[in-house]
Amino acid sequence: MAALALQPHPRLSLLARLAVLLAVGLWGQTTAGAYDATVCGQMGYTIPFNNMTFNADAWNPDVKGFQCISVQDSPPAFAATWSWSSNPEMVHSYPHVKLTAPGLPTPLSNISALVLSAQWSMGPGSKPRPARVVDHDGLTNDGTSANVAFDMFADRDVAKALNEQTAETEIMIWVGKFGHAEPLGFDANMTKTCFTQTIGDAEFVLYQGHNERGTDVFTWVASANQTTFTAEISPLLQYLWRNGLVSAKSHLGLVSFGSEAYHSEGTVTFSASEFDMDLVAGAAPKLAVGHLCSLAASTNPPQWLFSSAIIMSATLLYLIS
Ligand SMILES: *[C@@H]1O[C@H](CO)[C@@H](O)[C@H](O)[C@H]1NC(C)=O
Ligand SMILES: *[C@@H]1O[C@H](CO)[C@@H](O)[C@H](O)[C@H]1NC(C)=O
Ligand SMILES: *[C@@H]1O[C@H](CO)[C@@H](O)[C@H](O)[C@H]1NC(C)=O
Ligand SMILES: *[C@@H]1O[C@H](CO)[C@@H](O)[C@H](O)[C@H]1NC(C)=O
């Protein structure tokens, strides 16, 4: 067993440290497995023999709270333990693994297939649940708000596509959603937009918004929690560029899998394993990407729909002709 590198965030309270120690199994019989490293705050860890990178990514921490991530090198897996009890509407951290593929970055129009997979579990406390187990009641009792998501970045400029801070477009795929976590552009008066795509047996609904940096964020939200996910998701990308919502010349640069942590009254542990990405580069097949819905189909269409409807219709006509 490899040595444990415990590097808590300097701002961690004693209680938080205790939770981390419990999470990594130094005390008691509470652990499900042995981890090779634990990092907290904004620290990352890279598996030495394959360069797979993990990050606790507490990019928006609150004084009251912490984020740690424990990583197992082989087979790769992680458990992310956190607590954020103030500012419930904000994302505080995104513990994640970076997924890599030889073909990246690649133009969106040069993605023949993109298979993403992962399995995960979530529940209150510091003890990771077995794969695919979600303690729904426990999370509800703690008022937990979080998602489980693949996060991708794209830009017309290849270099910018490789940097979360500079990429003009972010594309998320939410395969889990708890509490009050909602995608950017979500409107409580219109729980469902009329942009949907079905992948396998999951229906995804599209939302669009802007983050605080002005990045254009497109979020596909699964209509049910997918604790085991394996899907060829290129139709979700094609929907965006074939309909002119994202430039077809955009390059997909970064892909990660993790959980955005908003809020919980107690400690939460999200764990993940069997995450993978398989990219087949080459001209995108012309898929049936779904029609842009008519404005009338939506009771309260978001503003951006009006402004881009004409451009989109023109694009569709061009594609059809
Ligand atoms: C890991 O990254 C280092 C530094 O970039 C590189 O030298 C090494 O070949 C990489 N190893 C693997 C397995 O990719
Ligand atoms: C939702 O509807 C309510 C009542 O009609 C209205 O007051 C509120 O402003 C609406 N919210 C949004 C975001 O449109
Ligand atoms: C996932 O599970 C939570 C907790 O049971 C539930 O509130 C939520 O609606 C589910 N999410 C989706 C997208 O079905
Ligand atoms: C598209 O993919 C093919 C097949 O891998 C590759 O040969 C080509 O260089 C790619 N084109 C671009 C512009 O990346």
Side-chain angles (χ1 to χ4, degrees):
M1 194 198 306
L4 201 70
L6 192 65
Q7 297 172 275
H9 192 271
R11 268 201 262 164
L12 280 187
S13 71
L14 199 62
L15 256 178
R17 283 168 196 257
L18 184 65
V20 174
L21 290 175
L22 284 171
V24 299
L26 287 185
W27 293 347
Q29 302 289 311
T30 56
T31 182
Y35 293 100
D36 294 288
T38 295
V39 294
C40 301
Q42 301 193 34
M43 303 285 292
Y45 169 76
T46 300
I47 297 178
F49 54 84
N50 64 5
N51 286 350
M52 189 179 271
T53 297
F54 301 77
N55 207 300
D57 202 3
W59 59 271
N60 181 28
D62 263 328
V63 181
K64 276 175 70 185
F66 73 94
Q67 174 69 65
C68 293
I69 188 168
S70 296
V71 179
Q72 173 183 287
D73 287 356
S74 181
F78 68 88
T81 298
W82 60 272
S83 170
W84 302 113
S85 57
S86 38
N87 295 318
E89 306 304 323
M90 301 175 81
V91 174
H92 298 286
S93 52
Y94 174 60
H96 66 265
V97 56
K98 287 211 150 53
L99 302 177
T100 54
L104 287 186
T106 186
L108 291 179
S109 56
N110 206 44
I111 294 176
S112 178
L114 182 61
V115 178
L116 298 179
S117 51
Q119 62 179 27
W120 54 274
S121 63
M122 201 188 295
S126 306
K127 181 183 171 184
R129 301 288 188 293
R132 303 188 303 277
V133 172
V134 174
D135 180 350
H136 293 276
D137 292 344
L139 292 170
T140 302
N141 287 343
D142 279 358
T144 303
S145 291
N147 65 28
V148 178
F150 292 93
D151 195 14
M152 301 179 254
F153 288 89
D155 199 291
R156 284 167 290 179
D157 180 287
V158 177
K160 288 182 178 171
L162 288 167
N163 183 333
E164 293 96 336
Q165 313 292 322
T166 58
E168 59 193 345
T169 305
E170 179 173 4
I171 302 167
M172 299 190 84
I173 300 174
W174 289 22
V175 294
K177 183 167 102 56
F178 297 93
H180 299 293
E182 297 295 355
L184 287 170
F186 175 81
D187 176 350
N189 289 351
M190 188 194 63
T191 50
K192 191 175 159 182
T193 66
C194 53
F195 292 90
T196 63
Q197 276 287 86
T198 300
I199 303 279
D201 56 3
E203 187 192 47
F204 288 87
V205 178
L206 178 66
Y207 297 87
Q208 195 219 12
H210 291 92
N211 67 15
E212 63 287 344
R213 280 194 301 272
T215 312
D216 221 356
V217 183
F218 295 89
T219 308
W220 287 104
V221 180
S223 51
N225 294 308
Q226 310 277 318
T227 52
T228 300
F229 186 77
T230 301
E232 201 286 276
I233 60 88
S234 72
L236 299 182
L237 303 178
Q238 288 208 26
Y239 193 94
L240 300 177
W241 63 264
R242 287 212 191 272
N243 285 324
L245 300 172
V246 171
S247 166
K249 294 194 179 107
S250 295
H251 293 76
L252 177 65
L254 296 172
V255 181
S256 63
F257 174 71
S259 171
E260 285 185 310
Y262 293 64
H263 178 74
S264 187
E265 296 302 331
T267 302
V268 176
T269 296
F270 161 75
S271 40
S273 56
E274 301 198 3
F275 29 79
D276 203 6
M277 169 167 65
D278 200 359
L279 170 71
V280 182
K286 186 133 191 202
L287 301 177
V289 295
H291 299 289
L292 286 168
C293 48
S294 87
L295 294 178
S298 163
T299 52
N300 185 8
Q303 220 47 54
W304 63 273
L305 257 181
F306 288 117
S307 54
S308 44
I310 296 166
I311 302 168
M312 291 189 287
S313 310
T315 310
L316 266 189
L317 283 175
Y318 172 75
L319 283 170
I320 290 163
S321 62

